[in-house]
């Protein structure tokens, strides 16, 4: 019985070794990207909760690049079309609630730049979600190894300030 278990174990290891063997195809590395290799940072949030306070109206999305030798301006396309909105309701979707720069400029020697998004929180509806798609327009400046598109959702959730007197007892 012990011999049967040993033979069975050796047979299983032999089959596993055959399935894990190499194919013999030589390794070919991927292509080296050209250009400045701009992409959206993976550390960007996908949801911004705005409190309604004026200092909270401006939010930032970070872009990064690999080649930092000179100043670079990158065009950004913004799409306000939320797929959750029905076709008949799209005319009521107010895109003037947000102000977004059309380009992002990297300073010479800098690998990070920020895209400012200004929301008009006074006109936003509480609890409603506003979705924006950001796309790097010039594919000669992007990299296939990073995100060329970033989707961000804005929500207005104002905080109520507590008022009253507090005591130790």
């Amino acid at each position: 019985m012990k011999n049967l278990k040993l033979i069975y174990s050796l047979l299983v290891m032999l089959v596993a070794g055959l399935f894990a063997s190499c194919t013999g195809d030589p390794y070919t590395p991927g292509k080296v990207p050209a250009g400045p290799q701009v992409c959206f940072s993976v550390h960007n949030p996908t949801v911004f909760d705005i409190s309604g306070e004026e200092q909270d109206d401006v939010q930032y999305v970070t872009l990064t690049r690999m080649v930092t030798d000179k100043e670079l301006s990158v065009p950004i396309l913004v799409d306000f079309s939320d797929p959750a909105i029905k076709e008949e309701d799209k005319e009521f979707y107010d895109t003037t609630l947000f102000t977004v720069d059309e380009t992002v400029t990297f300073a010479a020697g800098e690998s990070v730049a920020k895209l400012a998004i200004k929301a008009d929180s006074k006109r936003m509806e509480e609890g409603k979600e506003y979705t924006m798609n950001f796309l790097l327009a010039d594919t000669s400046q992007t990299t296939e190894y990073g995100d060329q598109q970033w989707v961000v959702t804005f929500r207005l959730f104002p905080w109520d300030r507590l008022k009253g007197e507090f005591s130790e007892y």
Side-chain angles (χ1 to χ4, degrees):
M1 191 64 165
K2 283 185 174 182
N3 290 337
L4 189 58
K5 285 183 181 180
L6 179 64
I7 292 172
Y8 180 70
S9 298
L10 290 174
L11 184 63
V12 168
M13 289 190 317
L14 178 68
V15 169
L18 289 175
F19 282 120
S21 66
C22 296
T23 60
D25 293 338
Y27 169 74
T28 55
K31 69 176 188 170
V32 177
Q37 303 177 43
V38 178
C39 64
F40 287 99
S41 172
V42 296
H43 301 292
N44 285 325
T46 57
V47 176
F48 288 112
D49 288 330
I50 297 179
S51 67
E53 300 290 325
E54 192 170 324
Q55 73 271 9
D56 204 21
D57 281 356
V58 178
Q59 301 294 330
Y60 297 95
V61 173
T62 305
L63 286 89
T64 60
R65 68 176 177 164
M66 296 300 293
V67 179
T68 61
D69 55 351
K70 58 184 177 181
E71 183 177 294
L72 176 69
S73 291
V74 179
I76 304 288
L77 294 178
V78 182
D79 181 18
F80 291 98
S81 61
D82 185 353
I85 297 175
K86 297 176 188 161
E87 194 62 40
E88 61 268 12
D89 294 335
K90 285 196 180 195
E91 63 185 270
F92 303 111
Y93 194 72
D94 189 3
T95 59
T96 63
L97 292 174
F98 301 96
T99 306
V100 182
D101 296 332
E102 293 180 358
T103 60
V104 173
T105 302
F106 289 90
E110 293 292 322
S111 63
V112 175
K114 293 189 180 259
L115 172 66
I117 308 160
K118 182 163 182 11
D120 187 359
S121 62
K122 305 293 184 239
R123 293 178 38 219
M124 292 174 72
E125 294 178 34
E126 186 176 337
K128 184 176 179 182
E129 293 186 348
Y130 300 89
T131 302
M132 288 187 285
N133 299 313
F134 296 101
L135 180 67
L136 298 174
D138 189 357
T139 57
S140 68
Q141 295 179 336
T142 61
T143 177
E144 62 188 55
Y145 301 111
D147 292 320
Q148 298 174 14
Q149 179 180 3
W150 198 260
V151 180
V152 175
T153 301
F154 281 82
R155 299 183 297 197
L156 178 65
F157 287 110
W159 291 86
D160 293 329
R161 297 213 182 264
L162 296 176
K163 296 178 183 171
E165 293 182 22
F166 301 98
S167 68
E168 206 175 301
Y169 304 102

